[in-house]
Structures are given as C-alpha cells and as structure tokens.
Amino acid sequence: MLKGWPETDELKKMLLEQVSSFARAEIATKAKELDETARFPTEIVKKLGEMGLMGMMVPEQWGGAGMDAVSYAMAMEEVSAACASTGVIMSVNNSLVCAPLLAFGTDAQKAKYLVALAGGEKLGCFALSEPGYGSDPAGLKCHAAKVEGGYKINGTKNWITNGREADYCILFATLDASLRHKGICAFVVDTKLKGYQVAKLEHKLGICASSTAQLFFDDVFVPDECLLGKEGQGLKVALNTLDGGRIGIASQALGIARCALDASKQFALEREQFGAPIAKLQAIQFFIADMATRLQGARLLTWCAARNKDLGLGYTKEAAMAKLAAAEAAMWIATKAIQVHGGYGYTKDYVVERNFRDAKITEIYEGTSEIQRLVIASQELAG
Ligand code: CAA
C-alpha cells in the first residue's frame, strides 16, 4: 500500500519503483488488448484505487494517499507509459474530480463524495465542454433553473472522459447564459439520478480503452447541497481545476513519449541494415538524441509546475507550459519513433503505432495547444 507515505526523495523513489513495476507487470501487458477491444480496464482501475493512486493528492482524512503533485506527476508518467487510456482515467479522477471537491467542497460533500472517489471505490467525470463550447466554456448553455430545494438541469455535454462509468460527475451549468461566466455554477451530481443519460460514445483515434461520452441532462433534479462553491463561481472552479489537470495530462504525454523512445532505442539496437544495427547510423542517433532531449525538457517543465503547486505558488502559466511542451514533445517523439521503425512502425505489431494515435489527444483535451499558448501569453504580457 502506498497510502500515507511521507514525502521524501527516498520515498518518492520507492513510490516510483512500486508504480513502475505494477505498470509493467499488470498494465503494459494488457494495453494492446485494451486498445484493440476498447475495453474499459475495470480490474486495473480497481487496483489503482487499492494502491492509493486514484486520489493521490487528497489527504488521508478524506480517503486519499496524502501525496504531493510531483509524486502524482511521476506516477502518472509510469501508468501512461504502460497504457495511455488507463492514464487518462486516473488523471480525470485525481485532477478533475477529487481536486475540485477538495478545494471547493464542504465537509459534508467531502465526506459523501470525496472519500469514496479518492479511495477508488467510486469513479468520477468532469462535464464542462458542450457541442458548441469547448475552448470557450464561459459561453456554455447547459441550464440550471433554481427550483424549490435545488436546481433542475437541462443540457448536453460533450467529450466526457469516464462519462459511461462515472458514479459522480462534476457538472457545470449556467443560471443565465447572458451573464457569461458570472452565471455558471459547479455541481457534484450522482449519475444515478433520473435524467442523466449517456447519449453517445465516441469512436476515437486513440486512448480507445477510456470512454468518451456525450451526456444528456434531461430535467435532472440536483439538491441544493450539491452546489460546489458558490453560484456564479463555476468557471473559476473549472479553470482552477484545469490548471491542475494540465499537470496530469502533461505527465500522461511524458509517459506516451517515453514508451515511444524506449521502443525506438530497443528497435535501433536490434534492427540491422547495411550490415550493422541501425543504432550505428548517425541519422538514427540524432533522432534518439533529439527525442530524449525533448522528453527531458518537457519532464522538467512538468515537475516545475507540480513543484509550484506543492509550494503553494502560482502554477497556471507553468501548467500551461508543461502541457504545451509535453503534448508537442509526445507527438513529435511518436512521429520520429515510427520513422526509426520504418514500415514496422506503421503496423499494429509495434507499440509506436499506438503511441502515435494516443499522443494526438494530449494536444487537444484539457485545453488545446493553442489555448495553452493564450494562457502563457496573457500571463507573460500581464507583467
Ligand atoms: N483559475 C481560476 N480562475 C480563473 C483562471 C484560472 N486559471 N483563469 C481565469 N479565471 C477567472 C478570471 O479571473 C475571470 O473571473 P473574474 O471575472 O471573476 O475575475 C474568469 O475566470 C474569466 O476569465 P477570462 O476572461 O480570462 O477567461 P476567458 O473566458 O477569456 O477564457 C481561457 C480563458 C484560457 C480561454 C479558458 O476559457 C480556457 O482555459 N479554455 C479551455 C477550456 C478547456 O481546457 N476545456 C477542456 C475541458 S475538460 C476536457 O478536456 C474533458 C475531459 O474529460 C478530459
């Protein structure tokens, strides 16, 4: 059990070894089958919960493992190097569900929802995006009408990771869309409530073993005690949450990139052309050198953002830089990994083909690379 480990460098190393050996033995071995069959890895997610990895940064008092963000980034990289689908399931539950409950929830909400989510007994999803509102969530249209004792929710949410399996949903809806972000509220919603519907499941290019759902909210009655934070504070809850989420996705991208680099090194040492392993060719050596350098640069940015979070410093810009750098590194490294493999890399027999498909989403979800650049530029120019 990893729960309750104090934070020292020595113990971080032990955590890393434990997560890494679990990921290699129990996750990597199933990743190909999970990808090909688009099967949700129920048994792996259960084990991640038992290991304390589904609510890593939640204090033990609320059912979590009480670890820091750097440890979370390291564990996310290990899990995602084995299976990027499992990585995003873990990231959403940790960063987008447990984190806002911890930051904005009342003690009653923490007792009712967070303990089970952080302990891995329950799973969560985060429903912000809509068919017409992805990069611009301030304009969202899902409507929360104030009624006796609570709110009636009506609307559609898109691209919801874990939407099919989630027990609880962090939902964003507006009291009045004309108020833009000042009308938005966050709620914690039980997905068993009448009117919560999984309307559609997406067939995706990558991260095939995680579900991506369109959700309908059809007159869902949500009691007053499910309001998370204050009325009108919802966009702040969402954007603050996404700052932490971007550290998780950056770490997922690092894992994908590392898997592609490791596979490329192994292939280059084994594959012979012109009478010698292709690792002897300077062209291949330059690929490997650039892949390793981009990976390490992105990793340092990610750990820097996580460290800022742990120290209570601002990390909005740092998390955006980390996600931008890691996502673009993952895509670049996966592309070069296929090049190193030649025709073999274009087939499903080699892991780099999956890495290439999985890497792409990291440039899109939890804020596209273009949105990360906007966040970075606005902070830089604000002085
Ligand atoms: N933390 C907390 N509050 C913040 C914030 C932050 N990082 N950034 C801005 N805010 C607040 C502002 O202070 C402001 O509030 P006040 O008026 O009360 O001061 C309010 O939010 C609006 O600020 P802006 O006018 O600067 O925001 P904007 O509407 O121009 O949007 C944006 C800025 C960067 C474009 C932002 O909307 C954004 O990040 N968009 C991308 C959204 C995104 O990542 N979506 C992914 C959804 S999750 C997902 O991918 C699904 C999944 O399951 C994985």
Side-chain angles (χ1 to χ4, degrees):
M1 286 285 280
L2 302 171
K3 286 187 180 181
W5 284 22
E7 300 295 341
T8 67
D9 285 348
E10 195 49 40
L11 289 172
K12 276 202 185 69
K13 210 172 129 208
M14 284 169 64
L15 159 77
L16 209 57
E17 282 164 9
Q18 198 165 337
V19 178
S20 169
S21 77
F22 172 73
R24 271 184 277 114
E26 308 281 337
I27 308 179
T29 45
K30 294 182 175 171
K32 188 173 192 305
E33 174 258 317
L34 291 170
D35 174 62
E36 285 173 357
T37 59
R39 177 175 74 79
F40 185 86
T42 309
E43 74 287 9
I44 296 175
V45 174
K46 183 169 182 288
K47 196 75 202 292
L48 293 178
E50 289 164 8
M51 292 173 75
L53 298 176
M54 293 302 278
M56 285 188 70
M57 295 167 290
V58 174
E60 286 177 83
Q61 175 198 3
W62 298 116
M67 292 190 223
D68 65 11
V70 174
S71 303
Y72 169 57
M74 289 175 165
M76 266 298 301
E77 179 180 331
E78 293 307 313
V79 169
S80 304
C83 172
S85 298
T86 307
V88 73
I89 296 163
M90 172 177 158
S91 178
V92 165
N93 200 71
N94 273 277
S95 306
L96 300 190
V97 180
C98 289
L101 279 167
L102 182 65
F104 299 98
T106 60
D107 280 2
Q109 288 170 338
K110 288 176 191 163
K112 184 164 180 188
Y113 303 104
L114 182 57
V115 171
L117 286 159
E121 292 98 51
K122 301 283 184 192
L123 187 72
C125 69
F126 178 86
L128 176 66
S129 300
E130 298 183 2
Y133 297 89
S135 292
D136 179 23
L140 64 81
K141 293 284 182 284
C142 182
H143 189 244
K146 190 77 193 87
V147 294
E148 179 73 32
Y151 302 81
K152 270 267 166 79
I153 312 282
N154 280 286
T156 305
K157 293 288 172 181
N158 256 36
W159 319 122
I160 311 305
T161 305
N162 297 346
R164 179 182 53 188
E165 298 79 14
D167 300 286
Y168 301 126
C169 172
I170 304 295
L171 170 70
F172 299 88
T174 181
L175 294 167
D176 179 351
S178 70
L179 297 175
R180 291 272 299 175
H181 75 269
K182 297 202 187 298
I184 298 176
C185 306
F187 299 95
V188 52
V189 175
D190 189 325
T191 63
K192 306 290 176 300
L193 286 177
K194 189 164 169 286
Y196 177 99
Q197 294 170 26
V198 177
K200 181 184 167 206
L201 291 167
E202 307 297 343
H203 293 281
K204 310 189 294 283
L205 176 70
I207 54 162
C208 297
S210 74
S211 69
T212 304
Q214 183 178 66
L215 304 177
F216 283 171
F217 291 82
D218 182 12
D219 260 348
V220 178
F221 174 76
V222 174
D224 282 329
E225 60 264 26
C226 295
L227 179 71
L228 190 58
K230 297 193 177 70
E231 282 189 354
Q233 206 192 10
L235 192 71
K236 269 189 205 290
V237 174
L239 296 181
N240 175 276
T241 298
L242 283 165
D243 286 343
R246 288 165 186 167
I247 296 174
I249 299 304
S251 309
Q252 183 203 27
L254 296 178
I256 297 167
R258 197 186 79 203
C259 180
L261 172 59
D262 287 348
S264 301
K265 289 190 286 190
Q266 189 185 335
F267 186 86
L269 290 165
E270 287 167 4
R271 169 80 171 155
E272 294 200 357
Q273 289 291 278
F274 308 107
I278 61 170
K280 296 275 181 204
L281 299 171
Q282 198 176 53
I284 301 296
Q285 292 170 4
F286 281 9
F287 278 154
I288 300 292
D290 288 345
M291 290 157 90
T293 305
R294 286 191 193 216
L295 173 59
Q296 187 67 347
R299 183 182 284 127
L300 292 176
L301 279 172
T302 305
W303 289 0
C304 172
R307 192 72 189 139
N308 269 23
K309 184 170 191 285
D310 289 333
L311 294 174
L313 303 171
Y315 61 96
T316 298
K317 180 178 77 174
E318 288 74 11
M321 286 176 162
K323 181 175 181 288
L324 173 64
E328 294 197 345
M331 200 61 232
W332 191 88
I333 289 167
T335 306
K336 292 296 180 229
I338 292 186
Q339 200 66 19
V340 169
H341 283 71
Y344 292 104
Y346 202 65
T347 71
K348 291 192 180 288
D349 295 340
Y350 286 79
V351 71
V352 293
E353 182 269 346
R354 172 161 50 86
N355 296 149
F356 181 83
R357 290 184 289 106
D358 287 344
K360 186 61 205 170
I361 191 59
T362 65
E363 294 184 317
I364 298 172
Y365 59 18
E366 299 199 27
T368 61
S369 293
E370 293 69 34
I371 288 293
Q372 308 311 326
R373 287 186 167 88
L374 285 182
V375 171
I376 297 162
S378 78
Q379 295 241 341
E380 285 290 324
L381 292 168

